[in-house]
Amino acid sequence: MTNLETRGHLLTEQANASSENLDRLTSLELVDLFNREDARTLLAIAHARESLALAIDITTQSLKKGGRLFYVGAGTSGRLGVLDAAECPPTFCSPPELVQGIIAGGAGALIRSSEELEDRATDGEKAIAHRQITELDIVLGITAGGTTPYVYGALQAAKSRGAKTIFMACVPREQVTFDADVDIRLLVGPEILAGSTRLKAGTVTKMALNIISTSVMVRLGKVYGNRMVDVAVTNNKLRDRAMRILIDLTGMTRSQAAELLERSNKSVKLALLMYWTDLDASGGIKLLDECQGQLRDAVLKHQKTIKNN
């Protein structure tokens, strides 16, 4: 870990030569500058592709065994983790406890700045203990500058409990080191506004979390093709999306899709399996359970069963 008293050498704290005249630019010039700098986020993701893939693999393995994924961060990093976790249940119908966000300062820090709390490593340790982290779980620490004590405390506590750890930062390893199972570095360079890591660092972090959580859910069988077949049908928009998935994948009419969706207790995945196999809801649920929720595997298994009989 680097010296926390002197951070000027960190990539995220350095001044960006491209924005030296930031306060003298026109609005259009500002937009163009942001656009050029934000393009660096795509390169950063590309350079981190192998570590991101490893994070997806170990997270999928842990969740299949009954583990949970925890994001831990402070400030912008913490808010992004909480946001990604909050979006998983409506998108993938996952239980709220499967992916959780932990932010220094708790829920209040989501809407009111409480950056001083990031300096308390013991608070990070307590957060891990409070959630009873075990060896089945994954803890992903997010710290743009790589030096947040709260995140360090949480990751160290998670390691002591046998959990797998992922370290995500926007500084190179030679500036900050941490011994984690996966080390993700998202190097977007100095910010347009020096030190304001809610900018490129925040953007690339959101991109990385999108990639990890969505890919894990794909691997867990919550997607068929590129459709969110485990979508939670909780409002009119999501009901319409569920209906369109059924119509697009089966060719049935909207009224038929509505009727099937009701018979499947608003489960698009179960509705599709029922349509493709002629199983009733209970039979479909049983088959999906046997196939660990993988719709494609369930359809193939049913086809083989029919063929062998």
Side-chain angles (χ1 to χ4, degrees), residues 244-271:
R244 284 186 286 107
I245 291 172
L246 291 175
I247 293 167
D248 290 349
L249 294 182
T250 67
M252 67 176 72
T253 65
R254 191 170 181 85
S255 61
Q256 290 172 327
E259 188 272 334
L260 182 56
L261 192 62
E262 292 305 313
R263 284 199 290 122
S264 65
N265 195 27
K266 298 181 181 179
S267 168
V268 175
K269 180 190 290 183
L270 179 58

Side-chain angles (χ1 to χ4, degrees), residues 5-182:
E5 298 302 320
T6 57
R7 295 180 170 86
H9 66 291
L10 297 175
L11 185 62
T12 52
E13 292 296 323
Q14 294 170 13
N16 189 327
S18 298
S19 60
E20 288 179 343
N21 298 320
L22 189 65
D23 61 338
R24 294 159 59 185
L25 300 180
T26 67
S27 296
L28 185 57
E29 288 170 336
L30 285 166
V31 172
D32 290 342
L33 175 59
F34 271 95
N35 191 35
R36 289 194 300 272
E37 287 294 316
D38 284 342
R40 296 176 181 271
T41 61
L42 298 176
L43 292 174
I45 291 291
H47 290 153
R49 56 189 290 274
E50 293 185 358
S51 56
L52 287 168
L54 181 57
I56 292 165
D57 286 341
I58 71 165
T59 302
T60 301
Q61 292 165 10
S62 292
L63 268 54
K64 281 184 175 180
K65 296 175 182 177
R68 301 163 294 172
L69 168 61
F70 292 88
Y71 297 129
V72 182
T76 296
S77 296
R79 294 181 192 102
L80 289 170
V82 171
L83 173 62
D84 195 76
E87 289 175 341
C88 286
T91 307
F92 303 108
C93 211
S94 58
E97 63 272 14
L98 188 65
V99 183
Q100 301 181 42
I102 302 174
I103 182 172
L110 293 172
I111 57 175
R112 186 181 298 274
S113 175
S114 54
E115 270 68 20
E116 73 280 1
L117 299 178
E118 71 181 52
D119 291 336
R120 301 179 186 176
T122 54
D123 283 2
E125 297 170 5
K126 291 176 182 177
I128 295 301
H130 176 69
R131 287 162 178 79
Q132 301 179 321
I133 302 296
T134 74
E135 69 279 359
L136 294 176
D137 297 320
I138 295 281
V139 178
L140 193 164
I142 313 166
T143 165
T147 63
T148 307
Y150 182 89
V151 173
Y152 273 82
L155 288 173
Q156 294 288 10
K159 290 178 65 176
S160 71
R161 289 169 169 262
K164 290 286 194 300
T165 57
I166 303 171
F167 186 72
M168 181 180 290
C170 297
V171 293
R173 292 178 179 85
E174 58 266 25
Q175 291 185 353
V176 174
T177 60
F178 187 84
D179 182 21
D181 294 287
V182 184

